[in-house]
Amino acid sequence: MNSELCYASLWAGSPTRSNSWTAGRLGWRLHPLKSDLKGFWSLTVTGNWRLIFRYDERTNTASDIELIDYH
């Protein structure tokens, strides 16, 4: 996955965007993670693959971005 696609995915699915319709409509299933990954957010990429990241609302930035095989 290239950096432009990651950035576009994170921007469109931003947890603070007022239009939550975007993430839901595109099927990314944006949601906060729990347990060991508390503090991370997740976007579904395809199949078992998830893009996980930390989101800083104050600076509107994502960090610790990883593409993981969820199962």
Side-chain angles (χ1 to χ4, degrees), residues 6-68:
C6 286
Y7 177 77
S9 296
L10 290 174
W11 180 82
S14 168
T16 61
R17 288 203 24 105
S18 60
N19 188 354
S20 61
W21 176 87
T22 305
R25 284 287 191 211
L26 296 176
W28 289 336
R29 291 182 265 176
L30 174 67
H31 63 280
L33 297 176
K34 300 175 186 174
S35 193
D36 293 344
L37 292 174
K38 186 174 182 172
F40 281 85
W41 287 80
S42 174
L43 291 171
T44 299
V45 176
T46 184
N48 292 338
W49 290 95
R50 306 292 185 266
L51 186 66
I52 65 169
F53 59 96
R54 291 186 189 274
Y55 181 75
D56 185 338
E57 186 175 345
R58 184 180 50 82
T59 60
N60 194 30
T61 58
S63 62
D64 301 327
I65 302 168
E66 293 187 48
L67 183 63
I68 63 169

